[in-house]
Amino acid sequence: MLETLSANLARAAVTAQGAIAEAALRQADRPAALTPDPFHVAPAMNEVMAGLAAQPDRLLRAQADLFSRYMDLWQSAARRAAGEEARPVIAPASGDKRFSDPDWASNPMFDMMKQSYLLSSNWLNSLVSEVEGVDPASKRRVEFFVKMLTDAFSPSNFLISNPAALREVAQTKGESLVRGMENFAADLERGGGQLAISQTDLEKFKVGENVATSPGKVVYQNDILQLLQFNPTTEQVHEIPLLIFPPWINKFYILDLRPENSMIRWLTSQGFTVFVTSWVNPDAKLAAKTFEDYMLEGIYDATQQVMNQTGVDRVNTVGYCIGGTLLSCALAHMAARGDKRINSATFFAAQQDFAEAGDLLLFTNEEWLQSIEQQMDQTGGFLPSQSMADTFNSLRGNDLIWSFFISNYLMGKEPRPFDLLFWNADQTRMPKSLHMFYLRNFYKDNALTTGALTLGGEKLDLSKVKIPIYVQSSKDDHIAPYRSVYRGARAFGGPVTFTMAGSGHIAGVINPPDAKKYQHWTNEHLPGSVEGWMSGAQEHPGSWWPHWAEWLRAKSGPLVPARDPAKGKLKPLEDAPGSYVRVRSDT
């Protein structure tokens, strides 16, 4: 056993060394890093450190408290070593999965290691969060960075201090570590010399075969989108069709992963004629496409084509995430021009007011934006998809980075097939003009709800939007926090229905009724604060989809014969899901 273990450890070491050497050679031909401080945290860190230095009494009290806590830990460990019962000095937070292995509690050495780490990391994070006299934005930036740093140094992330990984090495005689380093090498290869951690088995899914399978036709396309119309599943449908604008940061098929959780299939079963825009995965040729282009060639063109196809003069619309931000701008633009083609609008996890837009605000100071712009210049005028994926993953590092680091590399496990994570990995590129406009005007300047945004010759004012609005938020959404979504809901000038779903940015939206998961809250009023809304809200079990469908039916007109996409005024170009959605960013 020792001989086999030794040989496998040597194989693992050679594999890792070879992968790192190959990655270094591939990186050698690339331009040097734009900045040694990609998060631009150094100025904020200096400000926080200066704030701490200005409060020496607070620092001394914090150090004394940490020393006292460590004395408690040592005494607890000593009592436990003597065979006595000893309560933990500190325990992981609820939901912290890093220390779920039983050995973290039953083995005194690992328990001591765990508690020591938690004491130190909590102390450091608290020290930063409690500093006074510091710009709140600077402090939040440092808090985020320190949290990333302390998460990275968790003992669960290292082979020698992870009991589950060590046990796997022993049980497999080192084979797990060989497999782990092979996974590591494969991810380095896939990332072109940069580590692209696999979150799922990408070979198990194929767009149009086992994801994005709802039948329909591509009935129109232009430079930036394909317009999909899906086959009806009822004999009659509501007269006014539904057009969905998903985010262009990801592919549209989050709405159509599997038949049992497909929102598209569910909507057709409810008697709606469903259209969806499938955004292009842009390259350097589309680098100059602007936010205004996406409004005109996206919202305006798509709505016009839907009206042409169905023979109606109005459409109901949905905007998901950034697609909702674009739709909001189009609604304000149409209101300024007296254009009444949109009958109602629904927003899934979409923001209009970015004053409380969550941790993504940390990535949008001017220095960081300039670095992003330089990166896009180097790549030909677009933001690589992996850059966007890394940003979103960093917001939930323990779940989306370190858990896979441990499983893939330390444990040597193959990533499990998971359609949602396959979709999450199928990121798209961002055209420079579009993306910089979005980051600067929304995240940085919050120009839409402050009345400072002009598009297409019109100054945008959401209070002039009088059509019925339905706003969905999610309680645990870290990308579009419900507080931020609520601020946007109150910016519209017409009737607004606000709903809160359980779970987060994806599961809160994609929650079919048959799953009987989570819950949602409703309140017919829209008071001045989200706290006021929540205090008067009623909780309901399960999905919010039926509540929305009831609202939507009232806005969708009488029933008419179902519409066959192949027999409309627009000639079908190809079968759904179309060709735009199949373009991967690594091709």
Side-chain angles (χ1 to χ4, degrees):
M1 178 179 175
L2 287 175
E3 188 175 323
T4 303
L5 177 61
S6 178
N8 282 332
L9 292 178
R11 284 176 57 202
V14 169
T15 301
Q17 290 168 4
I20 293 170
E22 177 66 23
L25 288 173
R26 298 179 72 165
Q27 293 291 325
D29 295 332
R30 296 182 177 178
L34 298 172
T35 170
D37 181 16
F39 291 102
H40 299 283
V41 75
M45 183 68 80
N46 289 337
E47 188 177 348
V48 169
M49 291 300 105
L52 287 172
Q55 305 170 53
D57 56 330
R58 178 183 291 273
L59 191 58
L60 286 173
R61 287 198 304 271
Q63 290 173 335
D65 179 64
L66 179 64
F67 181 76
S68 173
R69 299 276 282 170
Y70 263 105
M71 288 296 296
D72 292 340
L73 177 59
W74 293 331
Q75 291 171 7
S76 172
R79 286 197 300 271
R80 188 171 179 181
E84 301 177 25
E85 264 198 51
R87 292 174 59 85
V89 174
I90 188 170
S94 175
D96 189 342
K97 302 174 184 177
R98 294 175 295 175
F99 305 105
S100 57
D101 188 275
D103 275 354
W104 285 113
S106 61
N107 186 299
M109 181 182 70
F110 288 116
D111 182 50
M112 177 78 171
M113 202 179 299
K114 173 193 69 180
Q115 293 193 62
S116 176
Y117 162 75
L118 291 173
L119 283 177
S120 299
S121 61
N122 288 1
W123 175 83
L124 185 57
N125 283 291
S126 296
L127 187 65
V128 171
S129 66
E130 292 171 5
V131 67
E132 297 175 352
V134 175
D135 175 64
S138 296
K139 184 166 78 168
R140 187 68 195 96
R141 185 178 296 276
V142 174
E143 286 177 331
F144 183 82
F145 177 78
V146 171
K147 180 68 165 56
M148 287 180 63
L149 191 65
T150 54
D151 285 348
F153 280 102
S154 169
S156 58
N157 297 337
F158 300 89
L159 176 64
I160 198 66
S161 53
N162 185 314
L166 287 174
R167 188 165 59 248
E168 192 74 14
V169 169
Q171 290 175 351
T172 64
K173 303 177 185 178
E175 282 287 346
S176 63
L177 202 55
V178 173
R179 294 194 302 267
M181 293 306 98
E182 289 172 348
N183 291 341
F184 174 73
D187 285 349
L188 273 177
E189 174 69 22
R190 187 169 58 87
Q194 295 179 318
L195 189 60
I197 302 177
S198 297
Q199 297 176 332
T200 187
D201 187 344
L202 299 176
E203 302 302 318
K204 296 294 185 182
F205 299 98
K206 192 168 183 180
V207 173
E209 293 187 8
N210 54 5
V211 292
T213 59
S214 288
K217 301 289 183 183
V218 175
V219 296
Y220 177 78
Q221 72 179 45
N222 59 27
D223 286 346
I224 65 170
L225 63 82
Q226 286 189 321
L227 181 64
L228 281 63
Q229 180 182 355
F230 293 93
N231 293 353
T233 56
T234 57
E235 291 185 2
Q236 292 183 309
V237 295
H238 289 278
E239 180 185 34
I240 300 176
L242 181 67
L243 171 57
I244 303 176
F245 296 98
W248 55 83
I249 292 175
N250 297 98
K251 307 289 183 67
F252 83 86
Y253 62 89
I254 185 60
L255 302 167
D256 190 33
L257 287 174
R258 288 172 286 117
E260 57 267 32
N261 65 358
S262 169
M263 177 181 280
I264 290 170
R265 288 179 185 263
W266 187 83
L267 286 167
T268 59
S269 75
Q270 302 301 303
F272 297 108
T273 301
V274 180
F275 292 82
V276 173
T277 57
S278 175
W279 301 102
V280 72
N281 191 353
D283 54 20
K285 292 181 292 187
L286 297 175
K289 287 291 183 182
T290 65
F291 195 87
E292 186 174 306
D293 290 332
Y294 269 61
M295 181 181 74
L296 297 176
E297 299 174 32
I299 306 293
Y300 269 91
D301 197 4
T303 51
Q304 185 61 54
Q305 299 306 324
V306 170
M307 290 188 293
N308 293 344
Q309 176 74 336
T310 57
V312 299
D313 61 357
R314 294 171 298 162
V315 297
N316 291 321
T317 54
V318 173
Y320 190 169
C321 188
I322 192 173
T325 305
L326 177 67
L327 177 60
S328 302
C329 293
L331 291 176
H333 191 267
M334 291 175 181
R337 295 195 170 183
D339 191 319
K340 301 184 183 299
R341 71 179 68 192
I342 293 183
N343 183 60
S344 75
T346 297
F347 295 99
F348 302 162
Q351 300 175 93
Q352 294 83 26
D353 188 312
F354 287 73
E356 297 184 69
D359 284 340
L360 281 174
L361 284 172
L362 304 174
F363 296 91
T364 52
N365 68 343
E366 188 56 37
E367 293 81 7
W368 187 80
L369 293 176
Q370 289 175 7
S371 293
I372 290 292
E373 194 164 11
Q374 292 172 16
Q375 181 184 2
M376 288 192 279
D377 287 338
Q378 286 187 352
T379 55
F382 62 86
L383 183 69
S385 62
Q386 190 59 45
S387 178
M388 184 66 67
D390 290 343
T391 300
F392 283 118
N393 287 342
S394 69
L395 299 179
R396 294 175 55 199
N398 284 330
D399 290 334
L400 297 178
I401 298 175
W402 294 114
S403 65
F404 294 102
F405 181 92
I406 295 165
S407 177
N408 297 2
Y409 308 148
L410 302 188
M411 305 283 288
K413 296 182 178 179
E414 293 295 327
R416 294 185 298 112
F418 189 9
D419 54 0
L420 177 59
L421 290 177
F422 170 79
W423 167 84
N424 189 57
D426 195 6
Q427 297 273 348
T428 58
R429 298 175 284 258
M430 297 291 110
K432 176 184 173 181
S433 297
L434 166 73
H435 197 52
M436 294 311 301
F437 182 94
Y438 174 66
L439 292 177
R440 283 201 165 98
N441 284 276
F442 295 96
Y443 273 99
K444 180 175 177 289
D445 297 334
N446 195 22
L448 178 56
T449 52
T450 57
L453 187 63
T454 298
L455 277 178
E458 303 290 349
K459 191 170 185 179
L460 305 187
D461 183 354
L462 291 179
S463 68
K464 294 181 179 179
V465 177
K466 306 294 186 180
I467 64 172
I469 301 289
Y470 188 102
V471 176
Q472 178 271 337
S473 66
S474 294
K475 188 176 183 181
D476 300 319
D477 194 334
H478 64 290
I479 294 174
Y482 67 83
R483 292 178 180 278
S484 181
V485 175
Y486 192 81
R487 291 175 67 102
R490 286 185 48 79
F492 292 101
V496 176
T497 299
F498 184 84
T499 301
M500 184 183 294
S503 197
H505 193 68
I506 301 301
V509 176
I510 309 303
N511 182 25
D514 287 347
K516 295 180 170 52
K517 293 176 65 176
Y518 311 124
Q519 70 279 87
H520 66 281
W521 293 264
T522 60
N523 183 347
E524 63 182 16
H525 302 292
L526 203 70
S529 69
V530 71
E531 289 81 9
W533 184 91
M534 293 174 72
S535 67
Q538 182 178 358
E539 182 176 340
H540 311 273
S543 174
W544 58 276
W545 290 9
H547 180 266
W548 172 49
E550 182 181 356
W551 178 91
L552 188 59
R553 284 190 192 97
K555 314 292 185 295
S556 298
L559 294 174
V560 298
R563 302 173 173 114
D564 184 344
K567 297 179 181 178
K569 296 180 181 179
L570 301 177
K571 182 180 179 180
L573 304 178
E574 57 182 313
D575 288 335
S579 53
Y580 280 16
V581 74
R582 301 178 194 271
V583 178
R584 294 188 60 86
S585 297
D586 53 4
T587 58

